[in-house]
Amino acid sequence: MHIEHEEAMREAFTELDRLTRLAFRSDFATQADINRLYTDGAAIDQGWHFGPHQQQWEFLKQARSQWECDPEAMRQALIESHRAPGGRLDAVQRRSIEQGRVLATAARMRFEPPGPARGQSERGR
């Protein structure tokens, strides 16, 4: 994958992630706005899913999803990828794992509702 294609993919994926997060916000204006966000996101996804870099796109989507579902496994994958350069993951995949981490962290920081700290009950305050 040429660097200019990778940069375009990362930019498109960041936009897809932003649109997806906006669609899930409970304070978004109307159902029509939400539908527009999904339509715009689907257009981005389809363009890359059916393009020449489909495997890299799907890897990036999976990495982002895994950071949400199992961040500890992804931390381990990232650590292992840096310990053994030239191993199972190539440089583009390592950067995709890192981009997934950055996006997942940003999403948690912006949209996690306030409440008790993990493992702390309301009564324990």
Side-chain angles (χ1 to χ4, degrees), residues 70-83:
D70 193 356
E72 189 53 40
M74 292 306 289
R75 277 186 207 90
Q76 284 303 115
L78 193 56
I79 290 167
E80 290 301 316
S81 76
H82 289 293
R83 283 187 186 152

Side-chain angles (χ1 to χ4, degrees), residues 6-105:
E6 182 180 352
E7 289 171 356
M9 178 183 77
R10 298 205 183 286
E11 188 175 307
F13 191 79
T14 297
E15 178 64 5
L16 174 60
D17 189 72
R18 185 186 73 80
L19 294 171
T20 302
R21 283 186 286 110
L22 283 173
F24 280 102
R25 286 181 49 179
S26 60
D27 63 340
F28 210 82
T30 67
Q31 187 63 41
D33 292 329
I34 292 169
N35 290 342
R36 181 185 46 77
L37 291 170
Y38 281 127
T39 299
D40 292 351
I44 292 169
D45 185 48
Q46 294 299 307
W48 285 90
H49 178 77
F50 292 105
H53 303 294
Q54 186 239 358
Q55 288 181 321
Q56 291 90 344
W57 180 256
E58 294 302 322
F59 186 92
L60 177 55
K61 285 174 48 178
Q62 184 64 32
R64 170 65 174 90
S65 177
Q66 282 297 110
W67 277 108
E68 292 289 334
C69 299
D70 193 356
E72 189 53 40
M74 292 306 289
R75 277 186 207 90
Q76 284 303 115
L78 193 56
I79 290 167
E80 290 301 316
S81 76
H82 289 293
R83 283 187 186 152
R88 294 188 326 219
L89 300 175
D90 63 31
V92 174
Q93 291 170 324
R94 280 193 294 278
R95 288 188 293 271
S96 290
I97 290 172
E98 185 61 32
Q99 183 179 10
R101 181 190 65 78
V102 168
L103 293 172
T105 300

